C-alpha cells in the first residue's frame, strides 16, 4: 500500500516540477550551495550505479544511501531534481530500512537491538524529515509519514535503553530530542535531562574523554549542537567551541589532517582524519558567533577537496540558516607551540611545518605505571608513536623506537617537557622484573598460588605476583627534539642496561621516492651510514646519519605477538639502529 502510494505520487510530477522549494532571505551563500550540490550529485550518481543493497552496511548504510537520493530529488539546483529514475531506488531503500526495524522499535548494527545504533538512524531520519519540508512534491508527504512512524516506534526503547561508550549518551539524547518533536512526551525530555545531568566529558583543553577526533566530529559535537537548540541548553555550544578551537591546533594546513595518536578509540591506529568532517560544526559556530577564524576553516575546507561535502547538503535543507553568509575569514593556521597537558601531547606549527610529540599513553599516570600498563584494547590510548611531522605534502607518519628488551615492544614515554627555547624532551623507562621466592607468610604448602598478571604485564602465571618480591632490570630512554630551520634535530639516548639493541623506525607516508640505505627483505630500508632522502613533489627531506649495522629488531611486544598481531603502519619504513649505551642524533632537514 505504501509503495503504491509512493510511486503514484510521480504522476503529478509534471504539475509540480520547477516549483521553488528552498526559500531563504537574500544573501545566501550561493558559492557554497554550488559546491555542495555538485558533491551531492556525484554521491547520488554513485549510489544509483551501485547494485541494489551492495555494500550498504546494514540499516544505517541503507538509510544514508536513501538520504543521498532524496536530497538531490527534492533540491531544485540538482541535476537529479525530481528525476523519475530516483523514485524506485528511493522506495526500495526506504522499504529496507522499515523492514530492518525490530518489533521493539530498535535496529541492529552488529550490536543487537541497539539503542545507540538506532539513535544514529533516528538522526538521519530527522534530518531527511526536515529536508522534506522544503518540498511540495506529492511523494514527500508519504515519505515523511513513514519516517515519523519509525521515529515514534523507536521512542520507547531509546528512552529506556542503555549505551556502551561515553559519546553514546549524547547521541541517544539528541535522537530523543528529535523524537520528542514528532511525538512529544515528558518522559523523553526527562531521559535527556538524566543523561545530561552526568556532565559532559570534555576537559578544559577541549579534549573529550575518548580523546578521539573521529567520535568528536561524528557524534559528540553534532549531538551537543542539536541539544543546544533545547531552551536552557544553549551553553552546550561553548563546549563544542572549545573542542573546535583545540581541533584547529591539532590540525595541519596542507591535507587538513587532524591528530589521532592521542585517541583511546579505533582512530589511534592513525586512520586518516581531516577537517572536512567538522565542516558543519565550524560553519554553524562561525555564523552564530561571527567567528572569522572558524570561517577561515570553513573556506579552507571548501577550497580543499569539496567533493567530500556532498552529504551536508541535506543539513542545509533541514537548517536553511546554514546557507547564510559567513563573516570575512582569517587564516586559521598560525604558528604555535602548544602543550596539551591533560594528554601529554605537544603540537608545533612553524610556517608550513607541523609536528606532534606524544607521551600520553594510558600505560602511565603522572609518570608512573597505571592499572592499564602494558595492556591494549579499545578505550585506552596505547599508540607508540613518539613524533609526527608534516611539511606541505611530505609527511612522517611516525617515529617509533623499539629496544630488544624482554619482548616489551615499543617504548612509550611517560613524560614530556618543553623548555624556554622550544626544545621538546620525551622521557621514560622500561622496568622488567625477575621474581624471587614467596615470603614465608604467603607460602602455600600445596603449591597453589593465584593466577595473576605479571608486574610488567607481559604474561600471566599461577605465581601470585602481587605478593611476590622482585628484582628489576631497568632501561632508561629519552628523545630530545630541537627545532632546526624548518626541520628538527633528534637526540636519542638509551642506557642503564648495556648491549641492548635499539631500532628507530621512521615511517614516511606513501607518495614519494626514498633514496639511500640498505633494502631489507620486508620492504623496509636500513640506514647504516650517511643520509637518506625522501622527495614528494617539490619537497625534499634529508634524514640521517645512520648509526651502523646493528640488526633491525622491531617488535610490538608480547601483548601483540602471542596473537600474531602487529603495529606496522602503511608507508615507507626507514630504520636507524644502535646498541646501548646509545647516544645518537638524527637530523630531519628540509631542502
Amino acid at each position: 500500500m505504501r509503495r503504491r502510494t509512493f510511486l503514484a505520487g510521480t504522476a503529478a510530477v509534471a504539475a509540480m516540477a520547477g516549483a521553488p522549494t528552498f526559500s531563504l532571505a537574500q544573501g545566501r551563500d550561493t558559492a557554497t550551495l554550488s559546491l555542495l550540490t555538485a558533491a551531492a550529485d556525484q554521491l547520488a550518481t554513485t549510489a544509483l550505479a551501485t547494485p541494489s543493497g551492495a555494500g550498504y552496511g546494514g540499516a544505517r548504510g541503507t538509510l544514508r544511501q536513501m538520504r543521498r537520493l532524496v536530497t538531490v530529488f527534492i533540491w531544485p539546483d540538482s541535476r537529479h531534481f525530481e528525476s523519475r529514475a530516483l523514485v524506485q531506488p528511493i522506495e526500495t531503500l526506504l522499504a529496507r530500512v522499515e523492514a530492518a526495524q525490530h518489533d521493539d522499535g530498535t535496529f541492529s548494527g552488529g550490536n543487537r537491538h541497539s539503542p545507540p545504533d538506532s539513535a544514529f538512524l533516528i538522526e538521519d531520519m530527522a534530518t531527511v524529515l526536515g529536508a522534506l519540508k522544503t518540498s511540495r512534491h506529492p511523494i514527500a508527504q508519504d515519505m515523511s509519514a513513514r519516517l515519523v512512524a519509525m521515529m515514534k516506534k523507536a521512542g520507547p526503547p531509546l528512552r529506556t535503553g542503555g549505551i556502551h561508550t561515553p559519546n553514546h549518551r549524547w547521541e541517544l539524547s539528541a535522537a530523543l530530542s528529535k523524537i520528542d518533536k514528532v511525538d512529544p512526551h515528558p518522559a523523553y525530555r526527562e531521559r535527556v535531562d538524566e543523561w545530561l545531568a552526568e556532565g559532559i566529558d570534555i576537559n578544559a583543553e577541549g579534549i573529550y574523554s575518548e580523546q578521539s577526533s573521529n567520535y568528536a566530529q561524528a557524534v559528540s559535537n553534532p549531538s551537543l549542537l542539536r541539544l543546544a537548540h533545547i531552551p536552557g541548553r544553549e551553553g552546550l555550544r561553548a563546549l563544542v567551541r572549545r573542542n573546535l578551537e583545540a581541533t584547529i591546533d591539532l590540525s595541519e594546513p596542507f591535507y587538513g589532517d587532524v591528530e589521532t595518536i592521542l585517541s583511546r578509540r579505533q582512530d589511534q591506529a592513525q586512520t586518516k582524519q581531516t577537517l572536512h568532517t567538522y565542516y558543519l560544526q565550524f560553519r554553524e559556530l562561525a555564523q552564530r558567533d561571527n567567528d572569522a577564524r572558524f570561517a577561515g576553516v570553513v573556506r579552507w575546507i571548501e577550497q580543499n577537496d569539496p567533493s567530500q561535502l556532498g552529504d551536508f547538503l541535506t543539513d542545509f535543507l533541514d537548517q536553511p540558516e546554514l546557507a547564510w553568509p559567513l563573516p570575512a575569514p582569517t587564516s586559521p593556521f598560525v604558528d604555535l607551540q602548544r602543550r596539551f597537558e591533560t594528554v601529554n601531547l605537544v603540537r608545533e606549527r612553524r610556517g608550513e611545518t607541523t609536528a606532534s610529540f606524544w607521551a600520553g599513553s594510558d600505560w602511565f599516570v603522572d609518570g608512573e605505571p597505571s592499572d592499564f600498563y602494558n595492556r591494549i584494547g579499545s578505550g585506552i590510548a596505547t599508540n607508540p608513536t613518539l613524533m609526527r611531522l608534516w611539511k606541505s605534502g611530505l609527511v612522517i607518519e611516525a617515529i617509533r623506537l623499539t629496544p630488544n628488551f624482554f619482548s616489551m615492544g615499543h617504548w612509550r614515554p611517560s613524560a614530556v617537557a618543553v623548555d624556554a627555547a622550544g626544545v621538546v624532551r620525551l622521557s621514560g623507562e622500561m622496568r622488567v622484573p625477575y621474581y624471587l621466592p614467596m615470603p614465608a607468610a604467603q607460602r602455600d604448602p600445596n603449591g597453589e598460588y593465584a593466577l595473576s598478571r605479571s608486574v610488567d604485564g607481559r604474561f600471566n602465571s599461577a605465581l601470585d605476583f602481587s605478593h611476590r618480591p622482585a628484582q628489576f632490570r631497568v632501561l632508561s630512554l629519552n628523545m630530545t627534539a630541537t627545532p632546526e630551520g624548518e626541520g628538527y634535530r633528534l637526540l636519542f639516548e638509551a642506557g642503564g642496561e648495556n648491549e641492548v639493541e635499539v631500532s628507530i623506525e621512521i615511517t614516511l607516508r606513501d607518495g614519494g621516492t626514498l633514496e639511500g640505505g640498505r633494502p631489507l627483505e620486508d620492504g623496509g630500508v636500513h640506514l647504516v651510514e650517511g643520509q637518506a632522502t625522501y622527495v614528494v613533489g617539490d619537497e625534499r627531506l634529508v634524514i640521517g646519519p645512520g648509526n651502523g649495522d646493528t640488526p633491525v629488531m622491531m617488535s610490538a611486544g608480547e601483548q601483540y605477538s602471542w596473537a600474531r598481531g602487529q603495529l606496522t603502519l602503511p608507508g615507507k619504513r626507514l630504520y636507524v639502529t644502535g646498541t646501548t649505551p646509545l647516544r645518537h642524533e638524527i637530523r630531519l632537514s628540509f631542502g
Side-chain angles (χ1 to χ4, degrees), residues 249-498:
D249 292 348
L250 291 169
S251 61
E252 58 80 35
F254 188 83
Y255 296 105
D257 289 349
V258 181
E259 188 56 87
T260 62
I261 53 175
L262 66 160
S263 176
R264 287 173 168 157
R265 299 298 304 278
Q266 296 94 325
D267 50 333
Q268 69 178 281
Q270 295 182 216
T271 50
K272 190 172 177 62
Q273 178 72 53
T274 69
L275 284 167
H276 295 78
T277 52
Y278 290 85
Y279 177 74
L280 284 183
Q281 299 151 41
F282 277 109
R283 187 174 186 98
E284 178 176 338
L285 292 187
Q287 292 169 326
R288 186 175 292 275
D289 300 335
N290 196 36
D291 190 306
R293 194 179 185 202
F294 281 16
V297 175
V298 172
R299 294 310 188 204
W300 183 94
I301 293 170
E302 292 176 348
Q303 294 163 12
N304 290 270
D305 195 9
S307 66
Q308 299 185 45
L309 305 180
D311 278 333
F312 298 128
L313 181 59
T314 324
D315 298 276
F316 274 63
L317 300 183
D318 177 37
Q319 304 175 68
E321 63 272 18
L322 288 170
W324 292 349
L326 292 172
T330 59
S331 175
F333 304 110
V334 298
D335 286 1
L336 62 86
Q337 183 180 67
R338 178 177 178 181
R339 178 180 175 184
F340 288 87
E341 296 187 6
T342 57
V343 292
N344 267 5
L345 175 73
V346 174
R347 287 282 292 180
E348 293 187 354
R349 192 183 299 124
R350 291 179 287 124
E352 295 182 333
T353 301
T354 304
S356 291
F357 302 93
W358 166 240
S361 170
D362 281 323
W363 286 11
F364 302 95
V365 174
D366 296 329
E368 297 297 325
S370 72
D371 291 340
F372 299 107
Y373 182 72
N374 205 7
R375 297 192 184 194
I376 59 174
S378 179
I380 53 175
T382 60
N383 188 307
T385 296
L386 308 175
M387 177 182 178
R388 300 183 75 195
L389 182 65
W390 294 257
K391 185 174 187 293
S392 299
L394 195 156
V395 181
I396 294 180
E397 292 284 14
I399 296 177
R400 296 174 173 181
L401 183 153
T402 296
N404 183 25
F405 192 65
F406 293 89
S407 299
M408 286 292 289
H410 294 89
W411 170 50
R412 293 165 174 83
S414 58
V416 60
V418 184
D419 69 16
V423 176
V424 179
R425 180 180 173 86
L426 307 179
S427 59
E429 61 183 20
M430 289 181 170
R431 293 170 52 86
V432 177
Y434 283 107
Y435 301 98
L436 303 178
M438 187 69 80
Q442 304 295 332
R443 294 172 189 158
D444 186 325
N446 296 317
E448 296 181 359
Y449 297 97
L451 178 64
S452 56
R453 187 172 180 261
S454 65
V455 172
D456 55 17
R458 289 185 298 135
F459 58 90
N460 304 280
S461 289
L463 283 171
D464 191 6
F465 292 114
S466 64
H467 292 100
R468 189 176 292 275
Q471 297 171 337
F472 287 84
R473 308 300 301 183
V474 180
L475 181 67
S476 297
L477 296 142
N478 299 285
M479 186 190 89
T480 304
T482 303
E484 191 173 71
E486 293 182 303
Y488 287 89
R489 186 173 74 253
L490 306 181
L491 173 62
F492 292 90
E493 299 171 288
E497 186 80 35
N498 292 337

